[in-house]
Amino acid sequence: QVVLFGDAQRTCVVAFLLRGMLWPFKWQHLFVCAPWPPEELQNVPLVEAPFPFIFAFGETAMLQHFWGYQNMYDLPENIVACLLRDRWVVINEKLKTSGGLTGKTLKFPPFVHSELRSQIKEARSALRNEHGLLETVQKVQDAIEAAMGKLANIVGRYAQSKVEAEAARCKAKDVDDLYERSCREAENEEKFLAWLQKEPAFGSVEQAAFYKSFYQTQCFMDRLYEEIHSQANAWVLRNSS
């Protein structure tokens, strides 16, 4: 759950960049991007919602005006809040995912984080040197898509390993049979972590909390099922000719 505050142009740009970070994953969430909350939502306790969301609003004063919170620090612990005008990001110290990821460790694994951070710094420098805003946004968007592509590749390789293992272990009747068998094998967090430790991308034991949290998301599971179905279909086609 993310809430952004600042001038309308900046918050909207960042909000759409955050949405861009989802590709090629899927994430069902409420998205509201406006200088002021729409009238029909002004009396709704939006920031207390139990579902995922990205909100991009104007000044933080609306927190108290509409929802009774004095400032960003008083928001529920599961919310990541950002005041873009002053580059403040507030992550509650009590935030902790079910996979063990905390507010202090809330970042990508090193093989994704380092390059993404470097590219974003270059984009910021270009913006200060009077490069166009749209050009800078595109650079950041491209960097984010590349970073998420790396995570998607992990899911794809994991799916492929499960399909190949199931195909070798027993003779599948058809695509659906191989898909179901592979899904049952893949739907195990410990098996995923055990497989991941053999991968160069794993990094270190300290990254386990990220991968455990990642595995438990809707984004991961939806992508996993898509990859397994694609891999199962490809395997059946290769072996039916």
Side-chain angles (χ1 to χ4, degrees), residues 44-158:
V44 177
L46 286 179
V47 294
E48 297 170 14
F51 46 78
F53 57 72
I54 297 176
F55 297 151
F57 294 135
E59 296 303 315
T60 56
M62 67 181 64
L63 282 174
Q64 183 175 14
H65 184 77
F66 293 121
W67 301 303
Y69 293 96
Q70 294 293 324
N71 52 54
M72 295 191 302
Y73 298 97
D74 293 333
L75 287 169
E77 62 188 49
N78 52 299
I79 291 179
V80 175
C82 183
L83 181 59
L84 296 173
R85 183 182 64 245
D86 298 317
R87 300 178 185 171
W88 288 351
V89 177
V90 177
I91 302 176
N92 196 299
E93 292 182 356
K94 296 180 181 179
L95 174 65
K96 186 174 183 179
T97 68
S98 55
L101 197 62
T102 66
K104 293 181 179 180
T105 59
L106 198 61
K107 62 181 181 181
F108 290 127
F111 84 104
V112 175
H113 181 83
S114 299
E115 185 173 352
L116 177 60
R117 183 176 181 180
S118 175
Q119 291 175 332
I120 289 178
K121 285 177 67 176
E122 288 180 8
R124 286 174 57 188
S125 177
L127 187 60
R128 286 196 295 269
N129 292 328
E130 299 184 356
H131 284 227
L133 177 62
L134 292 179
E135 180 184 347
T136 302
V137 169
Q138 187 59 54
K139 287 182 178 179
V140 174
Q141 180 74 47
D142 292 343
I144 290 172
E145 288 184 1
M148 297 307 289
K150 292 178 180 179
L151 294 178
N153 286 338
I154 289 179
V155 182
R157 293 199 300 273
Y158 178 58

Side-chain angles (χ1 to χ4, degrees), residues 1 9 21 25 54 78 88 94 107 131 140 149 151 158 173 179 201 206 213 224 240:
Q1 296 176 321
Q9 183 184 43
M21 289 181 69
F25 297 96
I54 297 176
N78 52 299
W88 288 351
K94 296 180 181 179
K107 62 181 181 181
H131 284 227
V140 174
L151 294 178
Y158 178 58
K173 299 176 183 177
Y179 169 77
E206 287 74 22
S213 301
L224 178 62
S240 62

